[in-house]
Amino acid sequence: GANSIRLLAYAAADANRIALATELRTRVRALTSGNPGPEAASTATGHQQGLLPPGYELLLEDDATRFLRVELAKTRQRTALSMGILLVFVLLAYRSIRKLGIVLLSLLVNLGLAFLCYWCFSVELNLYAFAGIAVSFGIMIDNVIIVLDGLRRRGGPLAPAVIGATLTTLAGLSVIWLLTDELRTQLFELARVMAINLSTSVLVALIFVPALSNHAEKPAGKLAGPEAPPGQHGFLTTCYAFLLRFRKTTLLLVILAFGLPLWWLPNQVADWPVYNATIGSDFYRDQLRPSLNKYLGGSFRLFSYYVYEGSGYRPAEETRLYVGAALPDGATLEQLNQVIRQMEAYLGQFSASIDRYTSQVYSGQNARIEITFPDDGRGGFPYTLKNRLTAYAVSFGGVKWNIYGVGQGFSNDSGSRPSAFRVTLKGYNQAGLDQHAGRLADLLLKHPRIQEVNTNANISWWEKDRYEYVLTTSQEALARRQLSISDLQRDLSWFDQNNQPDFFLDSGDPVALVTAAPKKYDRWRLENWSIPRDSGQLNFTEVASLEKRLAPQALHKEDQQYLRQVNFEYLGSPRFGSKHLTACLDTLRAEMPLGFTAGQRSYTPDQQAKEMTALMGLAVLLIFFICAVLFESLRQAFNIILLIPISCIGIFMTFYWFNVRLDQGGYVSFLLVTGLAVNGLILVINEFNYLRKIHPSWSGPQLYAAALHHKITPIVLTVVSTAAGLVPFLLGGRNEVFWHALAAGTIGGLVFSLFVITIISPVFFLRRRQT
């Protein structure tokens, strides 16, 4: 959050620009001393405008605090809107000013305790932390609603259910600490803030709310006892009895609604003839597989095909468009500057829709234009401009362009474009790395879809490919002519353009003598050179050859190990390319001695999905232990775990139907729904176990219908309150990084969890003989 301000001086001429820049820097420092913020910079800019000579202008080119101020303003608006929606919802739900006051006062006390914990645990209140406070409003109110409903009617023990439901949500959030460094850095404070808010909400709900409510001192209404007619809640009882009668059919429909990932099956499996003759046959692959994937894939297929394939990490930063340009080696800075000026002239046509564009030309091989937009680039103009710049860049010949920032990046640099796959080799010996890199290239090139492998690729993005001419001699040809390397070197001395100085001046400056006509000494002249030797002619091509090769790259070391990167492109599906690479790496690792390692360097979406799946599995395991301890039943805990992926159907369909972009916020929504979807089930099962003890004569469907009838009101209220608290985060549109996907996925999963609790869950918890 530190201020980062950059001022640029735009000059109409290049004369005295260094002296002017020095003078401007001195004056700006003097004006901004003691107050180095954006206001001081703007003041300095205004003062300097009157001191500049004609043709010069001083502008505030980059202010990193502007994005922070905009984001903080949006967070304040979302927080106020979320609070307002929740309070209006509570008032409409209870139609009681008194209960609205209890909820509001409980929320204020909860926030007070949370702020105290922030200070005790040194929580850094960044953008994600502030937004986390707004997101957790609805979740904090959930415990208050559950306790208010429990005080209104007597039922099962309330405290274990509230504590267990909160612990399951914390279990889903706890795995954020195990994310990759990049995601954990962003979400660490978000997880801490939400964990503190949920923990304090339990104390407020169980201690403070009963003290405010007069139901804490008055006897609660009596629950229907054994004398209650068994036919109450008849519709739900009949519905559950019908589902249990067709239990297998219901479970099959649920499984098909989620989907069978048949598309994951490989085409062929080595040493398994039965598989290859059935699932691996041409008939299955060409005729049956497309239809089976479509009709048996369910919601998971729709999510995998139409949502996950377009997923990826998106940085939460100001919308900008970058245009990179480069000329071939040997081009001058002035030549590339002329190209950039033509691109600037083209951008001038869109001055009404562009906030500012800044050009930086570093050399003849490196230049960049940075384009910013008003209102943070909202709308579709940044995408339109990128497409227009792409079409305009194609008209330039000999210029390598890279246009990126929004949408899919464009590059016409086919030679140096980053490869689809990158492998990093590590070892204690540089020569050994060369050998193993060559071996890996041989293994990869056996596949016809891999045409070229770069065994010495650049590791850092700023490194550029450099080429050199290598002179290779034929020892056999030289021996036949009774010549040595020194003889050939002496004969070629006329072509040698050695940069070593021929002599030094008295002042110590080196002086090298070079020919006045260097163009005569080109490659063609060298390769067609010949001199008389004995009774014949000595031709250059008979004893040597000249070849242009990629020059050795910079040496890289990590933990006292040399690094070597191997890049290649796979002409086909990245999934199959990854499988081929994995097989080649397994073969290479089996041959490599101790001290050498090889691993895939790129962080692909498949790896990200595998990591999030593993973390969800860990969260599910924690929830299983919590539910097993709470209900003292492994069977009930296991059934709750089975219903978690079914609740994810709501997330799948939300992303598919509403065209929500899956980014890191979408992955976090899976973790959040994993914990939140269990809360309602815990309330129902806790009530079901209590009713089973006091009504042993009732059937299973009657008990479950009664438990659902007693808890459906707080369950619906908690789901709606959580969803209402997330609604403000949907208003930014699908281009809103992180928050839109988080809110949409969480709302969709929670809404579908109501269907899971009311209709599907009895099939898992009731047995047919209980009917």
Side-chain angles (χ1 to χ4, degrees), residues 324-347:
L327 288 174
D329 292 341
T332 63
L333 183 145
E334 289 74 12
Q335 291 172 333
L336 186 54
N337 182 60
Q338 184 64 29
V339 174
I340 295 299
R341 291 183 65 178
Q342 295 182 43
M343 184 62 76
E344 289 178 336
Y346 181 77
L347 289 172

Side-chain angles (χ1 to χ4, degrees), residues 419-424 565 567 578 581 599-605 607-608:
S419 300
F421 294 92
R422 296 181 295 173
V423 178
T424 298
Q565 182 164 297
N567 288 3
S578 179
L581 174 59
Q600 189 171 351
R601 183 179 179 87
S602 57
Y603 188 68
T604 62
Q607 290 175 302
Q608 190 179 47

Side-chain angles (χ1 to χ4, degrees), residues 193-430:
V193 164
M194 295 190 68
I196 291 174
N197 291 347
L198 292 179
S199 301
T200 55
S201 69
V202 175
L203 298 177
V204 173
L206 296 179
I207 298 176
F208 187 71
V209 172
L212 290 179
S213 176
N214 58 2
H215 292 284
E217 298 178 358
K218 294 182 179 180
K222 213 172 198 180
L223 189 65
E227 67 277 3
Q232 69 174 5
H233 320 305
F235 175 76
L236 286 176
T237 302
T238 304
C239 180
Y240 295 158
F242 176 81
L243 291 176
L244 289 176
R245 182 181 178 184
F246 300 96
R247 181 190 184 95
K248 295 181 179 179
T249 303
T250 304
L251 292 176
L252 178 61
L253 292 177
V254 170
I255 293 174
L256 293 179
F258 182 84
L260 298 175
L262 299 178
W263 58 92
W264 285 355
L265 296 176
N267 292 331
Q268 295 286 327
V269 177
D271 301 328
W272 197 350
V274 176
Y275 181 93
N276 297 333
T278 54
I279 299 178
S281 63
D282 296 337
F283 175 76
Y284 176 84
R285 184 174 61 253
D286 300 332
Q287 303 296 329
L288 295 181
R289 186 167 188 168
S291 299
L292 292 178
N293 288 346
K294 179 179 180 180
Y295 295 110
L296 301 182
S299 59
F300 188 46
R301 183 190 73 89
L302 298 176
F303 179 81
S304 300
Y305 279 28
Y306 302 104
V307 179
Y308 172 73
E309 292 296 336
S311 66
Y313 174 83
R314 293 195 296 165
E317 59 185 19
E318 190 175 7
T319 302
R320 300 191 180 193
L321 194 60
Y322 299 95
V323 180
L327 288 174
D329 292 341
T332 63
L333 183 145
E334 289 74 12
Q335 291 172 333
L336 186 54
N337 182 60
Q338 184 64 29
V339 174
I340 295 299
R341 291 183 65 178
Q342 295 182 43
M343 184 62 76
E344 289 178 336
Y346 181 77
L347 289 172
Q349 306 175 26
F350 312 101
S351 57
S353 302
I354 295 177
D355 180 31
R356 181 178 293 113
Y357 54 87
T358 305
S359 302
Q360 297 175 347
V361 183
Y362 303 98
S363 64
Q365 292 72 43
N366 190 3
R368 190 178 76 162
I369 303 177
E370 182 179 308
I371 307 169
T372 59
F373 304 91
D375 299 328
D376 194 22
R378 298 187 182 278
F381 179 73
Y383 297 88
T384 303
L385 180 62
K386 187 192 76 68
N387 294 330
R388 293 184 178 181
L389 288 175
T390 300
Y392 184 70
V394 174
S395 63
F396 287 84
V399 184
K400 298 177 181 179
W401 295 99
N402 287 282
I403 303 175
Y404 58 96
V406 294
Q408 184 176 2
F410 163 78
S411 174
N412 64 346
D413 184 7
S414 59
S416 60
R417 184 177 65 247
S419 300
F421 294 92
R422 296 181 295 173
V423 178
T424 298
L425 304 179
K426 297 181 180 181
Y428 62 90
N429 183 272
Q430 182 69 17

